[in-house]
Structure formats: C-alpha cells, structure tokens
Amino acid sequence: MARLKLVRYPNPTLRAPNFEVAFPLSRETRELVDQMMYSCKRFHGIGLAAPQIGYNLNLAVINLEEYQIPPFAILNPKIISSSSKSHTMEEGCLSIPGKFGSLKRPEKVTVKFITIEGKEMKLSVDGLLAVVFQHEIDHLGGVLICDKWDINTVHTLDESELARARKKRKKQTTR
Ligand SMILES: [Zn+2]
C-alpha cells in the first residue's frame, strides 16, 4: 500500500476548506479511506483526518482498536449538539509531533456522519470517543489543538518517551 506522508503544522493544507464527500463513493475515495486506516495505525494514531495527509476532503478515520472499537471512517461528519458540561483531557496531534497539552471540551456530543457503506449515522458519544470525534471534526474545520489548548500545560515528549507513553497510553493520545 502506498505510504501517505503526514502534513505537519503549519502547512496551509491543515487550514484550507475541506470539500464534502460525494456519493456514491468513487473508487479513489474508497482507496484513500483504506490508506488512511493503514496510515493511522502505522503512525500510532487514534484518529486521522484527510487534510493531515494532504487531501482537503471532509472525512476522517477513527482507530480505537485497542479500546475494542474496530476502526471506522466518518464521512461529512458534523456535531449536532454538545453537553454544557465539559472536561479536560491531554491531547496530541500527529500533525504537531511530540507536543501535548490539555484541552477543555464538551463531555458529550451527538454527531452525525456517513459510513463508508453510505449509511447515515447519528451517535451520542462520551469519554475518549467524544474527544476523538471533536478533534477530527475540528481538523475538518481547519482547527488544530494548538488553537485551543491551555498553553501552560503544553510539553514535548521525545521519541523514547513517546514509545513509553504509547505502551501505557493512559493520558497521552495522539490523533
Ligand atoms: Zn490531530
């Protein structure tokens, strides 16, 4: 499978508008989703949005396999409601390598999206899944965690620290 290259901050692709995915899905888009699933795992990410690999399309993949949620794609996703209660979690981003910071987000969100099979879905999610959905949908609106994190909490992990954090995967999550 072709190796996709990660687009890193401050590349303008991360801020550019993303086009809605058209249905029925083209073979190219289907292949792109497969490649994104593969790349997300290879980069040890729990989510990957199309602009992060250079495609300004309104789609992302979520890979929470280690939490017993099989990887899935979200096409044209939208947040339709958010809880007023918020919580803070440490987040990282594959496009801002090695940096982590705390972000406050709504604790629960209701999202809608279209699956790779073309099925419309509406889900209410909380916990880590809610964070991943919000992080990816932010990407698709050109918003990055460095726009939102509490600057006083930002820290850098080097490669060996990252590998250790990946093993533990307690708080650090990379999307
Ligand atoms: Zn990200």
Side-chain angles (χ1 to χ4, degrees):
M1 192 164 289
R3 290 202 154 194
L4 298 175
K5 267 190 90 173
L6 266 179
V7 172
R8 293 182 171 191
Y9 175 77
N11 188 307
T13 304
L14 296 170
R15 301 294 198 185
N18 292 296
F19 293 95
E20 293 284 288
V21 177
F23 289 88
L25 274 195
S26 65
R27 204 177 56 129
E28 287 76 14
T29 307
R30 204 169 272 276
E31 280 174 7
L32 179 66
V33 169
D34 285 345
Q35 288 187 333
M36 284 172 64
M37 296 264 194
Y38 170 80
S39 299
C40 189
K41 288 182 197 177
R42 187 168 70 85
F43 297 134
H44 308 287
I46 61 177
L48 182 69
Q52 291 184 278
I53 39 96
Y55 291 82
N56 282 120
L57 273 174
N58 200 4
L59 76 93
V61 298
I62 291 178
N63 170 40
L64 287 171
E65 242 175 347
E66 58 190 91
Y67 301 91
Q68 280 73 52
I69 301 175
F72 61 102
I74 55 173
L75 297 100
N76 302 336
K78 269 178 196 66
I79 291 174
I80 49 181
S81 67
S82 318
S83 64
S84 50
K85 205 174 161 199
S86 57
H87 71 157
T88 302
M89 203 185 261
E90 188 166 80
E91 293 182 38
C93 179
L94 291 170
S95 294
I96 312 175
K99 294 222 186 255
F100 294 87
S102 294
L103 265 86
K104 199 169 156 187
R105 296 188 185 271
E107 198 173 15
K108 293 179 185 170
V109 287
T110 301
V111 292
K112 66 170 188 178
F113 60 93
I114 305 172
T115 67
I116 189 80
E117 291 83 23
K119 199 174 150 209
E120 271 191 52
M121 296 281 287
K122 193 171 138 186
L123 284 181
S124 291
V125 290
D126 58 10
L128 183 59
L129 192 53
V131 175
V132 186
F133 264 106
Q134 292 177 77
H135 182 116
E136 300 314 322
I137 293 172
D138 270 355
H139 268 300
L140 299 172
V143 174
L144 299 168
I145 53 172
C146 56
D147 304 329
K148 292 186 162 182
W149 60 22
D150 173 356
I151 196 76
N152 298 312
T153 64
V154 176
H155 60 279
T156 308
L157 295 183
D158 66 25
E159 258 318 306
S160 63
E161 291 169 321
L162 267 179
R164 243 177 291 141
R166 244 176 242 138
K167 269 191 199 152
K168 282 206 223 136
R169 188 84 87 161
K170 279 202 177 132
K171 281 194 291 175
Q172 282 88 0
T173 51
T174 304
R175 288 170 281 273

